Amino acid sequence: DVTEEMNFKNTYATVFEHFGATLSLQELRHPKVLELVKEQYTSTTMQCDFKPNFIFRWDHEFISVEEAKRQGYIIPKNYKEKTVPVLHFEYVDEILTICGENGIDMRGHTLLWHAETATWFFREGYLDESAFVSPDVMDARLEFYIRNVMGHVYNHKYGHVVYTWDVVNEYYHSEMNTSDWKKVYGEQGLMPSFVKLAYQVADDVLCEYGIRDKVSLIFNDYNTFVVNGHDNTPEALLAIVDFINSDGKICDGIGMQ
């Protein structure tokens, strides 16, 4: 029986541990929106605030590796360049605090995406018009970015609210078009090395923090049933995840956006 007191949260919380809506930081800041979220949902996904361009803050701002180390950045052993891009976590910190203080869990969305990732991130010297870097250089940049973003989150007082990461977003559909990832790594089809590397790094971070059994790593895509007349999309996505997990399970599922 339906009653006036029923809402999403008190109806479905006994069935689904997490459910919610996408929000922006601006919306989370609004008292009435926050009140509604707390009343109705257990979780949220940030629309854009966790995406690379928002963490880069669209800037060409760089510091030396030596200065980055002094500031606490993680520099992977295979990182050979002399500078790193500055990562801005003010929005991330505010989001984590709002969610943590109000009992809202969160999906981390997203670490790798072909959109909202500045083209300079893929180019020599981090310059817009220079040539694309080699796969080895990009591997190191990818690892630098993932380790520092995830590490910052889980070093935060409320980092525990992030229970899932959409590690890679829309690879299959970007692979069907053009992307800066493809310009660096070439056509990789259903066996993308950099996608697998992203999950290996993310899995390693979770293991370092002792939370691998508490946090899931997801491969997210849209139109997971059929797109552009191709009816093999589900099989293709499963093949990609099988490749990611070919040396051990590091991708926990597929987000069907």
Side-chain angles (χ1 to χ4, degrees), residues 7 13 17 78 81 87 103 107-108 112 122 129 132 186 244 255-256:
N7 61 25
E17 182 178 0
N78 60 339
E81 299 177 88
L87 305 179
R107 295 178 68 94
L112 264 65
F122 303 88
E129 303 302 327
F132 286 93
I244 296 170
M256 297 182 288

Side-chain angles (χ1 to χ4, degrees), residues 67-108:
E67 176 60 25
K69 289 179 179 178
R70 284 193 289 270
Q71 293 187 21
Y73 282 66
I74 301 166
I75 307 299
K77 293 180 180 179
N78 60 339
Y79 193 93
K80 306 301 181 183
E81 299 177 88
K82 295 181 179 180
T83 62
V84 298
V86 174
L87 305 179
H88 298 271
F89 292 114
E90 296 88 351
Y91 294 164
V92 170
D93 291 343
E94 186 176 353
I95 291 164
L96 291 173
T97 299
I98 293 172
C99 288
E101 291 180 347
N102 289 279
I104 305 166
D105 289 335
M106 186 173 63
R107 295 178 68 94

Side-chain angles (χ1 to χ4, degrees), residues 74-81 121 126 134-146 185 197:
I74 301 166
I75 307 299
K77 293 180 180 179
N78 60 339
Y79 193 93
K80 306 301 181 183
E81 299 177 88
F121 188 55
Y126 294 106
S134 68
D136 287 344
V137 170
M138 199 66 224
D139 284 353
R141 291 184 180 185
L142 177 159
E143 183 170 354
F144 163 81
Y145 183 79
I146 293 177
Y185 289 98
L197 175 62

Side-chain angles (χ1 to χ4, degrees), residues 43 46 57 63 70 76 90-91 94 217 240 257:
S43 175
M46 289 295 99
R57 204 64 58 82
I63 54 177
R70 284 193 289 270
E90 296 88 351
Y91 294 164
E94 186 176 353
L217 302 177
I240 293 168
Q257 180 182 319

